[in-house]
Amino acid sequence: MNMIVLNDGNKIPVLGFGVFTIPNDGPTYDATLAALKSGYRHIDTAAAYFNEEDVGKAVRDSGIAREEIFITSKLWLQDHCYEAAQKGIARSLRKLGMEYIDLYLIHQPYGDVPGAWKALEEAKMEGTLRSIGVSNMTPKIWNRFVPEFDIKPAVNQVEFHPFFQQKELRKIMAQDDVKLEAWYPLGHGNVELLTHSAVTSLAEKYGKNAGQIILRFEVQEGVIALPKSTNPTRIAGNLDLFDFELNDDEMEAMRSLDTGKGMHDPDAPGVAEWLLNAFKIED
Ligand code: A2P
């Protein structure tokens, strides 16, 4: 698996397997094991996905050494202050059944973000979190919080796909060599995207499917992509991207699909309250 070096020196596999919306107590366990067997070495979960236990169990049962697998989890909004964040980190470690987490993110950038970030910084210095980052930060939110951080985030995990390429945000993040992680890298299975002629013509040329072309474009853009699938053939196929390369003209054609608009707007009024009320993490 190709790796990217983060701004703190740690390495992350360029493709990860996302388990958002896959239920705990079985389905996430099965999907994570299938992903590990297919060759994924990077699993992306979160406290608010309610499936950290299954991810941890699958990693233990996989027979693959813990240090060969890159695990990401995320702190939920209810834990946004220094003390609550310390508890939230401990809870994630306990649910995963792990001594450290490779990457831990502030999942939603609202409330006492600076207090929560302080707890992440300390856990990074103690070694229980190897890398730390943020998620869903728009340029506006980034400029409000990140300049005050002592340790810069290693990543910002945001919506990203060919129809929403985050060009302004990527310029800001590049100043601190912060990598972009893509959620919804396939546009959440958007048919308009998957059947777009710019994508299907490349799929035909390279003998790949549309999803593989899109993911290949993202990886070549330096983006860490987190495709989600519960279909074992697609889980394996979405990793099969490293035997071809899009040329400069093809990359430009894919870049031109950007509409500058996504499905989720973190700056919209009421989003923070809606999210806070959407999930409650229990011990
Ligand atoms: P499925 O679980 O049946 O594979 P995203 O990661 O952008 O949220 O997209 C996930 C959606 O895209 C899921 O509905 C998933 O369906 C579908 N999907 C995953 N991989 C591919 C692929 N290679 N080609 C087409 N659709 C895919």
Side-chain angles (χ1 to χ4, degrees), residues 167-185:
K167 288 181 178 158
E168 183 194 352
L169 182 65
R170 284 159 77 196
K171 273 194 208 132
I172 298 171
M173 288 165 51
Q175 292 166 11
D176 291 308
D177 189 24
V178 180
K179 299 293 184 254
L180 188 144
E181 289 193 317
W183 61 255
Y184 281 2

Side-chain angles (χ1 to χ4, degrees), residues 184-189 194 209 211 226-231 234 238:
Y184 281 2
L186 300 166
H188 204 39
L194 289 162
N209 66 40
L226 306 167
K228 203 208 87 186
S229 178
T230 49
N231 172 322
R234 283 211 278 256
N238 288 347

Side-chain angles (χ1 to χ4, degrees), residues 12-283:
I12 184 169
V14 295
L15 276 179
F17 181 68
V19 294
F20 176 50
T21 72
I22 309 181
N24 201 44
D25 293 327
T28 296
Y29 177 82
D30 294 341
T32 304
L33 260 190
L36 292 170
K37 287 216 169 80
S38 304
Y40 288 83
R41 291 294 178 267
H42 172 182
I43 309 292
D44 183 275
T45 182
Y49 297 173
F50 301 100
N51 54 19
E52 289 170 305
E53 287 101 334
D54 263 21
V55 168
K57 193 163 179 292
V59 167
R60 281 189 294 285
D61 291 353
S62 69
I64 301 163
R66 167 69 185 90
E67 56 275 14
E68 285 179 29
I69 303 175
F70 191 100
I71 298 293
T72 299
S73 193
K74 314 184 191 83
L75 184 78
W76 187 241
L77 262 178
Q78 71 188 47
D79 293 323
H80 280 198
C81 73
Y82 175 71
E83 290 80 13
Q86 288 180 314
K87 287 190 190 132
I89 294 165
R91 192 193 300 121
S92 283
L93 285 162
R94 179 166 46 75
K95 288 191 177 179
L96 285 161
M98 293 177 180
E99 285 170 8
Y100 68 90
I101 300 171
D102 297 274
L103 174 63
Y104 204 67
L105 309 182
I106 301 255
H107 199 157
Q108 297 291 346
Y110 311 105
D112 183 8
V113 171
W117 187 252
K118 194 91 228 135
L120 265 66
E121 288 178 333
E122 287 183 10
K124 176 171 169 59
M125 287 187 283
E126 285 160 11
T128 47
L129 305 180
R130 296 272 164 97
S131 293
I132 55 177
V134 298
S135 184
N136 295 303
M137 282 200 176
T138 60
K140 188 172 157 198
I141 299 173
W142 183 276
N143 289 330
R144 177 170 164 217
F145 290 122
V146 177
E148 307 303 321
F149 289 173
D150 287 336
I151 299 178
K152 295 298 175 215
V155 305
N156 183 16
Q157 184 180 124
V158 294
E159 179 180 350
F160 180 96
H161 41 78
F163 285 166
F164 188 34
Q165 297 185 30
Q166 299 276 14
K167 288 181 178 158
E168 183 194 352
L169 182 65
R170 284 159 77 196
K171 273 194 208 132
I172 298 171
M173 288 165 51
Q175 292 166 11
D176 291 308
D177 189 24
V178 180
K179 299 293 184 254
L180 188 144
E181 289 193 317
W183 61 255
Y184 281 2
L186 300 166
H188 204 39
N190 181 342
V191 176
E192 208 189 314
L193 174 63
L194 289 162
T195 59
H196 196 288
S197 59
V199 175
T200 53
S201 60
L202 291 173
E204 199 168 320
K205 172 174 172 188
Y206 290 105
K208 294 283 170 184
N209 66 40
Q212 290 166 324
I213 296 296
I214 293 166
L215 294 170
R216 177 72 210 186
F217 160 67
E218 295 174 350
V219 165
Q220 279 186 227
E221 281 289 76
V223 164
I224 300 153
L226 306 167
K228 203 208 87 186
S229 178
T230 49
N231 172 322
T233 309
R234 283 211 278 256
I235 289 175
N238 288 347
L239 257 195
D240 184 17
L241 315 172
F242 300 101
D243 57 353
F244 74 108
E245 193 172 350
L246 302 178
N247 65 35
D248 290 346
D249 289 344
E250 292 162 350
M251 288 297 287
E252 267 316 313
M254 291 296 292
R255 286 185 194 114
S256 73
L257 298 182
D258 186 28
T259 66
K261 283 206 175 58
M263 289 171 246
H264 172 62
D265 177 9
D267 290 329
V271 172
E273 293 71 24
W274 177 80
L275 286 167
L276 181 61
N277 294 324
F279 303 112
K280 168 101 182 77
I281 318 296
E282 308 281 353
D283 283 333

